[in-house]
Amino acid sequence: MSSTYSTKLGLQLPDTNTQTGVWGNTTNLNFGKLIEQAIAGTASISVTAGNVTLTESNGASDQSRCAALLVTGSAGVSRNIVAPASSKLYVVSNTADAAVVLKTSTSTGLTIPSGITQFAYYNGTDFIAVSQPYDADLKAIADLSTTGIIVRTGSGTATTRTITASTGIT
């Protein structure tokens, strides 16, 4: 009999009475590499050239098994990152210059703006945000590098003001 593979992580599941004398190699790969990749691995994904479909391999390292996706590149436009339609939690850090959409081949997907790190989970239908969603006003405040009274100057923009004795607010 031959081995089969787990449906979520693609780990090799040797059949009974197989791999006599070498089963340790499979166990070491499963536990020492593949499970570690699923818990703490990071895949670097460049979106400069176009949309990206994450690699998916049974019994071997791949991008879709990784816990974190570091998105890089200068695409200038939104790109899709296509992941398997399988129960999975990702940490997606989008350092590319445009938004990315984490999706399956048939779903709408979750948009992650440039400069944002987002937890994303596949719920059986689509990827959904697991943490606080992106807020343009909060990002504008976080990007301020000066001190003073914070003033919202428009949607997604903020500045600081100071109060000076005898001159008022500037």
Side-chain angles (χ1 to χ4, degrees), residues 83-90 102-104 106-107 120-128 130:
S86 181
S87 175
K88 180 72 174 139
L89 175 69
Y90 289 108
L102 181 63
K103 63 186 298 291
T104 69
T106 60
S107 69
Y121 176 71
Y122 183 73
N123 66 3
T125 305
D126 207 346
F127 281 95
I128 59 169
V130 179

Side-chain angles (χ1 to χ4, degrees), residues 5-67:
Y5 293 90
S6 66
T7 57
K8 301 284 189 238
L9 293 178
L11 303 177
Q12 188 175 2
L13 307 171
D15 288 334
T16 304
N17 299 321
T18 62
Q19 296 193 4
T20 303
V22 297
W23 63 268
N25 294 336
T26 299
T27 301
N28 288 342
L29 174 63
N30 281 342
F31 288 103
K33 301 271 189 224
L34 303 183
I35 292 175
E36 185 174 279
Q37 189 178 46
I39 295 170
T42 300
S44 185
I45 312 295
S46 174
V47 293
T48 299
N51 295 334
V52 175
T53 298
L54 300 179
T55 60
E56 182 181 20
S57 304
N58 283 330
S61 292
D62 65 28
Q63 296 168 320
S64 65
R65 185 180 296 108
C66 287

